């Protein structure tokens, strides 16, 4: 079943390359996403068996990521039906790359071999790059180039780290995750340390942790909203899964403290850097991209702190994906209506497009972790973990950075929603499909904010137990 | 056989150094082809007593992807954007070689501190791989053209690959093939993006951007 889940989107991608009508590709993506989502939904009831001689295994960690990916693609597919009613651009490469991305991201979430994991993460980088240059403007091509180069080099370092891990595992003779975890005490400590540093830099680059975040504002600012949702909610969290796998190995090898200290440092850095840069920003997409660096920082911090922080980080993975849907699909819908996402061109949303205005407010509140949205709880858990571990300065720094973030985002978002309305408006009406996709994510954020469903909590607990720290 | 292996390792570093000191893009790609050919022979040298099907496959895969397909794509790209010479390296040739030599010395010094578990066939594998990776970074950093940055990336990958083949056999062939294929697709997509950048700049009526063509940002 797992290999089919990887293989079917791949075949559909090939079908999308055929010369057919644009709307056919949109429906193809929708159908594939729906199929993917229903299969993943079935996995919640009945977990599939390992496949390909143990290369593909779905554990609770993978299940969380896989469900996130499935949800993201489904909302993007629904949004796209509305989007391409107004967009005349050819969508062949775009949709083919989206489907390939679905296939490779599925592979990331189920790969149980550190080498295969690297191959899968690298492939996601490659197929996401063409998505950024959908608009073919000079800025977007520059951003694509920067993304490709920075991430390729970063991922090359992760490959180096994977090879160092193989040297460390000289006595284990394999890079299969279960074998590594079982015989972790046999790993050579010095090589493992070296490998961990390279893996963190490599996958951290892909995840966009500071100081390896330089591609993020450009890429997110230039790409179309749908592509950014998949990158910010899916790709970066695929890289985070790789970091969680490293964490599992470190825990079993008794090196948690070493890994945790590096994670906490990069996490705090990823909170401080965007908080400083966001204050001068005029473009809502770039603004949200700084917010997404900050969310990555929170994830790294939670993983580093362990315990409650780890549970919070896993919960935050889900919330982060939902928030990204609200943020970037709203930004994409604004960009299509006004032909811009700068605060100078877009004002008075609440009068011209009331629903989009409300969604932007939700993006502001949920994105900065306000009650009653689910992000409030997960961020609180992570900060709470810092307090429990007696890192008081850390908790204080996190709270200050989050406050700065709120000021930075609200400064633009409020102006866009309540400012003096601007003309001209490209699309006159709100689109049902576009709003339905965003509304679903808002509803889930509210739902998880008030009540965490029991099956979800159970899987989160199982996943946290797998990591151990 | 150890002599051959050592010679191969040193040749790979040597070629990386020449790429660093070359100013013509065509020349850089040709030397990269030579480097990849030497690299593709390494799996055969390492298991000279009993060459397995896996070694032959790896060797053939490396040759066909790195010494044939990748250069082909790169040549296609530079023909499309009609750019043959490197205009302004940030650091002159002499200074580049001196820096490169320092990096090589650094790589050897670092590898003294790292002890590889088990008994490696050659002592030169680790230092040469590290030196090649560092030289690749140097090529990437000191060149301002987009194509030369791709070449730098490829040299880094060659260094990592040298490391992989000379030190251990823990990676299954399938994964190694996946890695090779990924690198090829990376170069392919980079070439397409370069081409798109070029087209975008050609449509631009302003003459000033024409001079910047292919230059990174």
């Amino acid at each position: 079943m797992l290999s089919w889940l990887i293989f079917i989107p791949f075949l559909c991608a090939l079908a999308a390359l055929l010369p057919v009508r644009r709307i056919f590709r949109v429906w193809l993506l929708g159908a594939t996403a729906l199929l993917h989502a229903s299969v993943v939904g079935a996995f919640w009831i009945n977990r599939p068996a390992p496949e390909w001689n143990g290369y593909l295994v779905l554990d609770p960690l993978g299940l969380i990521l896989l469900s996130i990916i499935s949800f993201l693609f489904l909302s993007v597919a629904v949004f796209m039906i509305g989007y391409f009613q107004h967009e005349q651009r050819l969508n062949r490469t775009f949709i083919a790359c989206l489907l390939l991305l679905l296939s490779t991201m599925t592979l990331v979430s189920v790969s149980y071999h550190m080498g295969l994991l690297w191959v899968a993460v690298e492939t996601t980088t490659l197929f996401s790059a063409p998505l950024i240059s959908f608009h073919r403007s000079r800025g977007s091509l520059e951003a694509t180039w920067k993304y490709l180069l920075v991430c390729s080099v970063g991922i090359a370092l992760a490959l180096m780290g994977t090879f160092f891990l193989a040297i460390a595992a000289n006595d284990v003779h394999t890079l299969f995750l279960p074998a590594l975890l079982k015989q972790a005490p046999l790993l050579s400590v010095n090589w493992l340390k070296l490998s961990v540093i390279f893996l963190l830099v490599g996958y951290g680059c892909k995840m966009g942790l500071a100081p390896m975040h330089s591609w993020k504002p450009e890429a997110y600012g230039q790409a179309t909203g749908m592509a950014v949702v998949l990158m910010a909610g899916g790709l970066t969290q695929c890289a985070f899964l790789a970091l969680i796998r490293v964490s599992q190995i470190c825990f079993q090898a008794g090196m948690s403290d070493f890994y945790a200290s590096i994670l906490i440092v990069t996490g705090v850095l990823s909170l401080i850097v965007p908080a400083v840069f966001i204050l001068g920003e005029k473009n809502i997409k770039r603004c949200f991209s700084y917010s997404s660096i900050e969310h990555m920082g929170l994830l790294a911090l939670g993983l580093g702190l362990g315990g409650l922080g780890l549970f919070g980080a896993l919960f935050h993975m889900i919330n982060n994906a939902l928030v990204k849907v609200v943020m970037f699909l709203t930004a994409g819908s604004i960009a299509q209506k006004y032909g811009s996402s700068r605060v100078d061109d877009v004002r008075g949303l609440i009068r011209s497009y009331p629903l989009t205005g409300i969604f932007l407010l939700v993006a502001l509140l949920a994105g900065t972790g306000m009650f009653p949205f689910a992000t409030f709880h997960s961020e609180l858990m992570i900060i709470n973990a810092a307090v429990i571990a007696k890192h008081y300065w850390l908790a204080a720094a996190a709270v200050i950075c989050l406050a700065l973030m709120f000021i930075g985002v609200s400064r633009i978002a409020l102006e866009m929603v309540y400012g003096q309305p601007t003309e001209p408006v490209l699309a006159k009406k709100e689109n049902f499909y576009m709003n339905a996709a965003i509304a679903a994510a808002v509803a889930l954020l509210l739902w998880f904010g008030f009540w965490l469903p029991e099956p979800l909590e159970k899987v989160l607990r199982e996943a946290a137990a797998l990591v151990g720290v | 056989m150890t002599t051959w292996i050592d010679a191969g390792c040193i040749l790979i570093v040597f070629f990386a150094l020449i790429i660093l000191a070359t100013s013509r893009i065509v020349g850089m790609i040709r030397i990269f082809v030579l480097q990849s050919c030497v690299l593709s022979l390494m799996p055969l040298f390492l298991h000279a007593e009993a060459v397995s099907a896996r070694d032959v496959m790896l060797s053939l895969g490396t040759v066909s992807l790195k010494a044939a397909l990748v250069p082909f794509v790169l040549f296609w790209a530079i023909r499309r954007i009609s750019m043959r010479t490197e205009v302004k390296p940030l650091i002159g040739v002499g200074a580049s070689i001196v820096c490169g030599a320092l990096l090589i010395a650094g790589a050897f010094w670092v590898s003294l501190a790292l002890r590889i578990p088990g008994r490696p066939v050659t002592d030169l594998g680790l230092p040469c791989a590290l030196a090649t990776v560092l030289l690749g970074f140097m090529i990437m950093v000191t060149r301002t053209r987009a194509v030369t940055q791709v070449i730098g990336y490829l040299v880094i990958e060659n260094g990592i690959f040298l490391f992989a083949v000379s030190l251990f056999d823990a990676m299954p062939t399938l994964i190694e093939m996946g890695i090779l294929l990924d690198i090829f697709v990376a170069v392919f997509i980079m070439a397409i993006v370069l081409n798109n950048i070029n087209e975008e700049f050609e449509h631009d009526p302003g003459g000033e951007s024409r001079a910047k063509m292919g230059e990174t940002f």
Side-chain angles (χ1 to χ4, degrees):
Chain A
M1 210 59 209
L2 288 175
S3 42
W4 283 108
L5 208 55
I6 297 162
F7 206 55
I8 288 176
F10 183 77
L11 287 180
C12 291
L14 296 184
L17 285 172
L18 298 172
V20 287
R21 291 187 39 212
R22 281 183 323 150
I23 197 69
F24 171 75
R25 295 200 190 94
V26 175
W27 287 111
L28 180 69
L29 179 73
T32 319
L34 200 61
L35 181 72
H36 194 276
S38 46
V39 173
V40 172
F43 286 166
W44 278 80
I45 300 160
N46 203 349
R47 209 76 60 73
E51 280 177 41
W52 284 5
N53 305 326
Y55 276 105
L56 306 184
V57 178
L58 188 71
D59 63 0
L61 284 166
L63 183 62
I64 294 174
L65 184 65
L66 196 60
S67 316
I68 289 174
I69 292 166
S70 217
F71 177 79
L72 290 177
F73 269 89
L74 200 57
S75 26
V76 165
V78 173
F79 183 86
M80 192 178 276
I81 299 171
Y83 190 86
F84 276 103
Q85 285 174 359
H86 300 294
E87 176 70 54
Q88 298 309 318
R89 207 168 275 277
L90 191 68
N91 60 6
R92 191 164 78 175
T93 326
F94 188 73
I95 291 191
C97 281
L98 279 181
L99 286 164
L100 286 172
L101 200 59
L102 176 60
S103 160
T104 48
M105 273 158 63
T106 308
L107 181 60
V108 172
S109 49
V110 296
S111 44
Y112 239 46
H113 183 280
M114 294 305 279
L116 183 66
L117 184 65
W118 183 86
V119 171
V121 173
E122 161 77 10
T123 326
T124 58
T125 314
L126 299 177
F127 291 133
S128 52
L131 297 180
I132 302 173
S133 57
F134 176 61
H135 287 299
R136 277 289 194 106
S137 65
R138 186 172 304 178
S140 70
L141 286 166
E142 283 182 17
T144 312
W145 186 254
K146 195 169 181 183
Y147 170 72
L148 249 183
L149 224 58
V150 172
C151 284
S152 300
V153 172
I155 291 287
L157 292 179
L159 179 61
M160 195 89 178
T162 309
F163 285 139
F164 284 148
L165 184 64
I167 294 186
N170 193 45
D171 298 332
V172 187
H173 287 299
T174 173
L175 283 180
F176 275 110
L177 199 62
L180 280 177
L181 295 179
K182 206 168 156 197
Q183 306 178 48
L186 289 179
L187 297 175
S188 137
V189 174
N190 285 334
W191 283 99
L192 186 57
K193 276 187 181 168
L194 200 63
S195 139
V196 161
I197 293 171
F198 272 81
L199 288 172
L200 183 71
V201 171
Y203 289 128
C205 192
K206 186 73 203 299
M207 201 177 149
L209 287 171
M212 292 85 75
H213 66 283
S214 61
W215 57 270
K216 234 177 189 180
E218 315 286 324
Y220 288 6
Q222 293 292 342
T224 166
M226 297 173 288
V228 183
V229 167
L230 299 176
M231 291 172 70
L235 276 185
T236 47
Q237 313 216 76
C238 286
F240 184 59
L241 181 74
L243 290 185
I244 297 179
R245 300 282 186 223
V246 176
S247 184
Q248 281 180 283
I249 297 172
C250 283
F251 177 69
Q252 295 296 338
M255 270 180 34
S256 298
D257 291 343
F258 172 75
Y259 189 51
S261 59
I262 321 179
L263 273 176
I264 290 175
V265 170
T266 36
V268 171
L269 214 56
S270 313
L271 289 180
I272 295 172
V273 169
V276 173
F277 278 92
I278 198 172
L279 294 171
E281 206 42 75
K282 289 258 174 222
N283 184 325
I284 190 78
K285 275 192 195 164
R286 286 179 66 96
C287 203
F288 284 157
S289 80
Y290 285 117
S291 154
S292 105
I293 298 173
E294 178 232 337
H295 283 290
M296 292 301 120
L298 282 171
L299 288 181
L301 200 61
L303 183 61
L305 289 168
L308 182 62
L310 176 66
F311 184 83
L314 293 174
F315 186 30
H316 197 66
M317 273 175 84
I318 298 171
N319 298 338
N320 175 44
L322 293 173
V323 165
K324 292 289 136 46
V325 171
V326 181
M327 277 183 172
F328 287 105
L329 287 188
T330 309
S333 129
I334 291 172
Q336 195 185 38
K337 291 184 172 81
Y338 288 84
S340 164
S341 44
R342 294 179 62 82
V343 68
D344 305 330
D345 307 321
V346 185
R347 264 187 255 125
L349 275 172
I350 201 79
R351 280 195 224 150
S352 321
Y353 301 105
L355 208 52
T356 310
I358 291 170
F359 287 148
L360 194 60
L361 286 180
V362 172
L364 162 68
L365 294 175
T368 49
M370 293 290 147
F371 192 75
F373 298 101
T375 39
F376 172 76
H377 300 287
S378 51
E379 289 184 9
L380 195 65
M381 280 178 204
I382 293 169
I383 294 170
N384 213 344
V387 176
I388 292 171
K390 296 207 167 61
H391 292 306
Y392 299 119
W393 57 271
L394 199 74
V399 171
I400 292 173
C401 289
L402 290 175
L404 279 175
M405 217 60 207
F406 179 74
I407 296 171
V409 183
S410 62
R411 205 174 43 95
I412 296 185
L414 291 180
E415 177 76 24
M416 278 184 151
V417 176
Y418 293 114
Q420 203 66 23
T422 48
E423 300 288 323
V425 185
L426 295 178
K428 289 279 176 251
K429 278 189 294 188
E430 297 263 21
N431 186 296
F432 169 75
Y433 293 107
M434 287 160 87
N435 287 333
I438 306 172
V442 174
L444 280 178
L445 271 172
L446 275 173
W447 184 21
F448 295 158
F450 284 112
W451 178 61
L452 190 58
E454 202 173 317
L456 183 61
E457 194 183 345
K458 188 167 152 265
V459 167
L460 284 174
R461 294 225 174 279
E462 277 173 23
L466 271 184
V467 185
V469 283
Chain B
M1 218 53 217
T2 323
T3 344
W4 285 96
I5 298 167
D6 288 353
C9 287
I10 288 171
L11 264 181
I12 288 170
V13 179
F14 187 60
F15 283 136
L17 196 62
I18 299 181
I19 295 178
L20 183 63
T22 309
S23 57
R24 283 172 56 83
I25 291 175
V26 178
M28 289 173 97
I29 301 176
R30 290 208 175 117
I31 296 165
F32 169 75
V33 172
L34 284 178
Q35 192 189 37
S36 307
C37 288
V38 175
L39 185 68
S40 67
L41 290 176
M42 295 304 281
L44 300 182
F45 285 162
L46 280 164
H47 305 108
E49 320 82 57
V51 176
S52 62
R54 174 181 177 279
D55 299 323
V56 176
M57 251 176 77
L58 201 58
S59 183
L60 283 180
T62 316
V63 154
S64 51
L65 283 175
K66 285 196 166 167
L69 275 172
V70 165
F72 175 78
V73 171
L74 284 179
F75 276 125
W76 172 81
I78 59 171
R79 209 167 37 243
R80 282 300 292 253
I81 59 182
S82 53
M83 172 190 58
R84 302 231 145 202
T85 48
E86 161 79 8
V87 180
K88 39 172 190 184
L90 288 178
I91 301 178
V93 171
S96 295
I97 294 183
V98 172
C99 290
L102 287 178
L103 287 181
I104 295 174
F108 272 80
W109 184 70
V110 168
S111 351
L112 284 181
L114 296 169
R115 239 182 44 78
I116 295 166
R119 227 158 37 84
V121 188
T122 167
D123 293 332
L124 282 178
L126 180 64
C128 286
L130 280 181
T132 312
V133 170
L134 289 175
L135 288 172
F137 271 117
M138 179 96 183
I139 294 168
M140 262 189 126
V141 172
T142 58
R143 303 312 170 98
T144 51
R145 293 283 186 168
V147 176
T148 46
Q149 293 190 334
V150 178
I151 296 174
Y153 166 71
L154 286 167
V155 171
I156 295 176
E157 289 286 357
N158 268 358
I160 295 176
F161 212 72
L162 172 65
F163 184 65
V165 292
S166 67
L167 290 180
F168 57 90
D169 313 312
M171 281 284 173
T173 319
L174 201 69
I175 303 293
E176 267 167 351
M177 287 296 151
I179 292 170
L180 273 176
L181 195 67
D182 265 356
I183 292 163
F184 169 66
V185 176
V187 173
F188 187 66
I189 290 179
M190 282 174 186
I192 290 174
V193 174
L194 263 182
N195 188 35
N196 286 350
I197 290 175
N198 181 54
E199 270 173 12
E200 186 59 36
F201 279 53
E202 283 206 328
H203 291 158
D204 181 46
E208 161 219 13
S209 58
R210 174 102 188 130
K212 280 174 67 187
M213 201 169 65
E215 210 163 299
T216 44
F217 319 97

